[in-house]
Amino acid sequence: MQFIFGVFLVLHGLVHLLYAGQSARRFELKPGMTWPAGSWAFAKLLGDATTRVLASLACVIAAIGFIAGGAGVLFSVTWWRPVIVTAAIFSAAVYVLFWDGKLRQLPDQGAVAMLINLGILIAVLVFQLPLAS
């Protein structure tokens, strides 16, 4: 269970790097996907170009948190839990802040990541997973 959970966390972090590439316009994850253009919190204030840079940086930070925390789980270090909790909360905040405010194409706006982050928080904080093997 510990191995599977650790690998899952690392993979979740790697998906954040895909969103970083999408927001930096290095590639397009899906045809017509515009995330984070039109962010309700930043686009009008900073413009879409600066918003994209900020979203890319935020996704890289979230990725580092998940990858480090996942490695912590895999190597049974004591500090992994607060790292994962912080990464999940930070990631959720990223997707809320860079959401375009519309109830369309929610999976493209990070809705799946939000559900995964919620599941991670419940697993870690409520069920105290992974249990020691």
Side-chain angles (χ1 to χ4, degrees):
M1 177 72 159
Q2 182 174 345
F3 177 78
I4 292 169
F5 190 62
V7 169
F8 177 80
L9 293 170
V10 169
L11 292 174
H12 187 51
L14 293 175
V15 171
H16 282 75
L17 294 179
L18 292 174
Y19 269 80
Q22 163 71 34
S23 60
R25 301 297 188 256
R26 299 283 184 234
F27 50 80
E28 194 173 49
L29 287 175
K30 179 178 161 186
M33 186 173 169
T34 61
W35 187 89
S39 160
W40 70 270
F42 299 113
K44 288 182 183 173
L45 178 66
L46 302 175
D48 275 338
T50 304
T51 298
R52 285 194 310 268
V53 170
L54 188 59
S56 292
L57 181 61
C59 285
V60 168
I61 291 168
I64 290 168
F66 281 114
I67 293 167
V73 170
L74 291 170
F75 293 107
S76 300
V77 298
T78 58
W79 49 259
W80 72 265
R81 196 174 301 271
V83 171
I84 289 301
V85 169
T86 302
I89 292 169
F90 180 77
S91 171
V94 166
Y95 289 112
V96 167
L97 292 171
F98 289 100
W99 172 47
D100 68 6
K102 299 176 183 144
L103 294 175
R104 61 173 176 69
Q105 298 176 332
L106 290 178
D108 295 350
Q109 301 283 330
V112 175
M114 295 285 290
L115 292 173
I116 292 171
N117 290 335
L118 179 62
I120 289 169
L121 289 171
I122 291 169
V124 170
L125 296 175
V126 176
F127 295 108
Q128 299 292 307
L129 294 178
L131 300 174
S133 46

